[in-house]
């Protein structure tokens, strides 16, 4: 699976760990930056990662900013993107099973980094349940795009 990963300056340290972790796990990673602690706007990175999914260059995306909030709001404004801001392992799994999210947002200044890697591991390895109830609800989300 190809995964696009991006962060702003506040998410940069956690992004570096996630990129390394995903590569070690055998995933094909497309790193959209940022590449330093210099300040950048999370919006631009979220749009880049979302576009890579819309254009089928990647199947999923992971976005990290300080809180994960700006990244999740921006990503969810993009057609075809279902982004979830996750802080724990249970919702990491449930948001794949129930919501078929294609973007994971994390707060690099909020979530413990070891926990963040556990969240990433669960999120990338959990499949959508295919339950018709959840499929119907996703179609309702898409109808409002
Ligand atoms: C940057 O200071 C910070 O506002 C940003 O990383 C993010 O937390 C916004 O939602």
């Amino acid at each position: 699976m190809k995964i696009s990963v991006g962060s702003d300056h506040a998410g940069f340290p956690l992004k570096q760990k996630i990129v390394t972790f995903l590569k070690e796990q055998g995933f094909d990673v497309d790193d959209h930056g940022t590449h330093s602690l210099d300040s950048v706007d999370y919006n631009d990175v979220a749009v880049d990662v979302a576009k890579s999914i819309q254009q089928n260059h990647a199947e999923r995306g992971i976005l990290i900013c300080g809180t994960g909030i700006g990244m999740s709001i921006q990503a969810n404004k993009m057609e075809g993107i279902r982004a979830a801001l996750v802080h724990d392992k249970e919702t990491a799994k449930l948001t794949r099973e129930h919501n078929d999210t294609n973007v994971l947002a994390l707060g690099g200044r909020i979530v413990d980094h070891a926990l963040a890697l556990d969240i990433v591991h669960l999120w990338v390895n959990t499949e959508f349940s295919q339950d018709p109830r959840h499929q119907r609800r996703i179609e309702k989300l898409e109808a409002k795009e």
Side-chain angles (χ1 to χ4, degrees):
M1 186 196 312
K2 187 159 184 178
I3 304 174
S4 286
V5 181
S7 76
D8 70 358
H9 53 289
F12 172 71
L14 178 56
K15 176 180 70 70
Q16 298 307 92
K17 294 178 188 175
I18 290 173
V19 167
T20 301
F21 175 74
L22 288 172
K23 286 181 177 170
E24 284 170 1
Q25 299 281 314
F27 290 98
D28 186 3
V29 179
D30 189 6
D31 185 349
H32 288 253
T34 189
H35 299 291
S36 77
L37 293 170
D38 295 343
S39 182
V40 296
D41 296 338
Y42 58 78
N43 316 78
D44 303 324
V45 182
V47 168
D48 275 356
V49 166
K51 281 184 180 170
S52 76
I53 296 168
Q54 290 174 328
Q55 294 165 1
N56 293 316
H57 297 148
E59 197 173 320
R60 298 210 217 150
I62 298 176
L63 291 168
I64 309 104
C65 62
T67 60
I69 296 171
M71 285 292 197
S72 60
I73 294 171
Q74 184 66 70
N76 275 317
K77 290 188 179 294
M78 305 289 288
E79 190 173 354
I81 301 301
R82 288 184 299 281
L85 172 56
V86 170
H87 296 100
D88 60 82
K89 292 196 274 187
E90 185 173 3
T91 53
K93 190 164 180 285
L94 287 172
T95 196
R96 286 289 310 132
E97 289 176 347
H98 289 201
N99 313 113
D100 197 15
T101 45
N102 50 13
V103 170
L104 172 68
L106 293 165
R109 289 175 174 166
I110 304 295
V111 71
D112 173 82
H113 287 192
L115 173 59
L117 296 183
D118 287 344
I119 288 169
V120 166
H121 183 259
L122 273 169
W123 187 79
V124 295
N125 288 298
T126 303
E127 291 304 316
F128 177 52
S129 69
Q130 308 285 348
D131 185 317
R133 288 175 304 161
H134 299 313
Q135 185 59 48
R136 181 180 68 244
R137 291 160 189 165
I138 289 167
E139 284 164 14
K140 286 186 175 185
L141 289 173
E142 289 171 342
K144 291 294 181 190
E145 283 182 341

